[in-house]
Amino acid sequence: MQKNMTGTRLVATFFGAGLLRPGPGTWGSVAALPVAWLLHVMGGFWALALGTAVVFLVGWWVTIQETRGQSDPDPSEIVIDEVAGMWLALWPVSLGAMIQGVSITALWPGWIVAFLAFRAFDIWKPGPVGLADRMHTPLGVMLDDIIAGALAAMVVAVFAVIAHGMMGI
């Protein structure tokens, strides 16, 4: 069912990224990357962290609006949840860049690990990610990606320790 592009739909689909096929969740995650970079450039880690919290709260609200009265509690075109989760997965990269005083793009391997780990957890839905997904509520829509993002952030941190701590890179 094609809907008009209302304000809530524009946000829920992250400016239409969720309408791309195949793999709208992956497209939403890709679309989140340049905005994460911009947030970091504008205000460092704290801007990305605040942006993540705002997107989570706004995303929860627009998901409520977009799924009200619908049979599908988690339509694939709603990707604002992927944006919040992807940004959370990038927290260790942003924090590391800020602490070290380097460009966030200098930590490009962390971007790749964050993206791949986030998509893996979001698709696989292990443990608490799956529990949140099975809530079948707007909060569950947002939480499964936040949890996937948190798990991905842990993977990024472990990779950073291995790369920088043990290997001295």
Side-chain angles (χ1 to χ4, degrees):
M1 164 161 68
Q2 185 65 27
K3 290 183 172 182
N4 292 329
M5 193 58 79
T6 62
T8 57
R9 184 143 178 90
L10 193 64
V11 172
T13 64
F14 200 59
F15 307 100
L19 302 175
L20 298 172
R21 299 289 185 264
T26 299
W27 286 112
S29 300
V30 167
L33 296 174
V35 183
W37 170 82
L38 184 62
L39 285 169
H40 178 86
V41 167
M42 290 174 51
F45 168 76
W46 300 113
L48 183 60
L50 179 61
T52 305
V54 169
V55 164
F56 173 80
L57 293 171
V58 170
W60 184 12
W61 181 79
V62 299
T63 302
I64 291 168
Q65 303 310 309
E66 288 294 311
T67 59
R68 182 174 284 135
Q70 302 298 316
S71 60
D72 185 357
D74 189 3
S76 62
E77 67 269 13
I78 294 179
V79 295
I80 194 66
D81 50 329
E82 271 81 11
V83 174
M86 186 69 248
W87 288 359
L88 180 55
L90 287 168
W91 281 16
V93 179
S94 178
L95 185 60
M98 189 179 80
I99 289 170
Q100 293 300 314
V102 299
S103 168
I104 191 169
T105 55
L107 303 180
W108 62 268
W111 287 76
I112 294 169
V113 172
F115 180 81
L116 293 176
F118 173 67
R119 291 309 300 144
F121 287 124
D122 189 30
I123 292 166
W124 175 35
K125 301 198 184 304
V129 181
L131 286 173
D133 185 61
R134 289 188 296 276
M135 290 171 65
H136 301 295
T137 65
L139 180 59
V141 168
M142 296 303 298
L143 279 181
D144 82 302
D145 290 275
I146 287 295
I147 297 166
L151 293 173
M154 287 186 244
V155 170
V156 171
V158 167
F159 269 75
V161 166
I162 292 169
H164 299 290
M166 294 178 173
M167 296 171 56
I169 298 173

